[in-house]
Amino acid sequence: MIKLNTDHAFLTEDFNDYQYEVSRIHKMIHEKTGAGNDFLGWVNWAETYDKEEFERMKKVAAKVRNKAEVLLVCGIGGSYLGARAALEAIQGLYSDSKTEVIFIGNTFSSTYHLQVLKHIENKSVVMNVISKSGTTTETAIAFRMFKEFMENKYGKEECRERIIATTDKARGTLKELATIEGYETFVIPDDIGGRYSVITPVGLLPLAIAGVDIDEMMAGYKQAYQDLNSDDILTNQAYRYAIARRMLQNKGYNVEMLVTYEPSLSMTAEWWKQLFGESEGKEGKGILPDSATFSTDLHSLGQFIQEGNKVLYETLLLVEKPMIDGIVPHDEADLDGLNYLEGKSLDWVNKMACQGTLQAHEETGGVPNLMITLPDCSSRTFGYMCYFFFISCAMTCYMLNINPFNQPGVEVYKKNMFHLLGKKGY
Ligand code: PA5
């Protein structure tokens, strides 16, 4: 379902030289013997996920869709990016879904909070608060503010029908609060970390409420789990991607720019950046994940990619079949000189831009390009892509001898911030 093309990446090493290492790590991942092995729940999740909870999610989603004009999704990082990435990729940026989804809890910006509060003032609102730890400050502050707004508007009793918590099954502040307030809750599994959690209620519940077919998404995830279950580097596209990344870093490329030609995939790139950045960026190692949306960014970053410092390679995340296509219209006067494109599909123009850019960056610019092609932007494909990136990310990290599932570095800023905010104990 996902095709990887390495023909434009100037790779000089032989893939076969990595077979032994890949087989060793493949075994380590599937037998759960490597570093961070208690966070490998996503590997066989397609088989082990809680089917009863899944059905309950669909029921709750149907109920919420009937009453909510706005769904607030309150979370940050791994408790935010996956749902937003999937939603935009699958439904586009201006979907006709009758429930508007607004993401909160991912910023301290006063302007953002206050504008959202104003925007939803006269709308019917439901909120899904998502936090594994229950103590993340951005999420907690937003939750406190929007909970107060909802309680003033609906009263505590009605809020039990309108606030849903997704959190740890037993521990943490949010779990405790949800139990006291009587909110419906869904579980973030112990063995799946934030950036791998889009295929759990963290991502699936908001997606189901927004009208995404989560059965299809899980079917795609399962298909990838089956397709990418072999350690054969000739066929396993996810492992080939991981190897290609290593080969490129070996050649001195320390930045990977994930390039999309669909604005609706920009958040997928953000989600991918967290996945690879937080997993791999440790102990002075890793490739910096960056992203761009073409052709927009060709009019800004294009110059640097073409002629600037040769620090980066591009990975094109392409889509064969767009969600919708349109035609360049005829214009009698042709003052803009565009009649040569009359009747051509917009997607064809986009694809020609892609071909021309690939040639420019590769041949003239000397920039290596990897290409990952998705057949479409369906929920099935998104689910498939999640597993593809999860397993290649784990492979990449273990190749560098890094634990893919912790993030010790993100605590440093928090300590300083808590000290400045006057939090007890800091
Ligand atoms: O990947 C991670 O661990 C982080 O991005 C967390 O998901 C993020 O900080 C949110 O954490 P929590 O779900 O505990 O609120």
Side-chain angles (χ1 to χ4, degrees), residues 280-348:
E280 201 186 13
K282 286 160 211 166
E283 300 171 26
K285 300 180 192 169
I287 297 171
L288 173 69
D290 187 18
S291 67
T293 306
F294 288 175
S295 65
T296 309
D297 292 331
L298 287 173
H299 297 256
S300 56
L301 289 171
Q303 172 60 39
F304 188 100
I305 301 165
Q306 190 71 47
E307 295 181 346
N309 191 337
K310 297 294 168 212
V311 286
L312 67 87
Y313 65 92
E314 293 168 284
T315 297
L316 310 185
L317 183 63
L318 304 173
V319 181
E320 247 160 53
K321 189 170 171 294
M323 204 179 301
I324 322 166
D325 201 358
I327 299 286
V328 179
H330 170 73
D331 185 285
E332 206 49 52
D334 195 26
L335 294 175
D336 51 14
L338 280 179
N339 273 0
Y340 78 102
L341 290 176
E342 173 190 333
K344 297 279 195 235
S345 105
L346 284 173
D347 188 58
W348 178 80

Side-chain angles (χ1 to χ4, degrees), residues 29 74 158 219 248 303 342 364 381:
I29 294 173
C74 185
E158 169 73 7
L248 285 160
Q303 172 60 39
E342 173 190 333
T364 320
T381 300

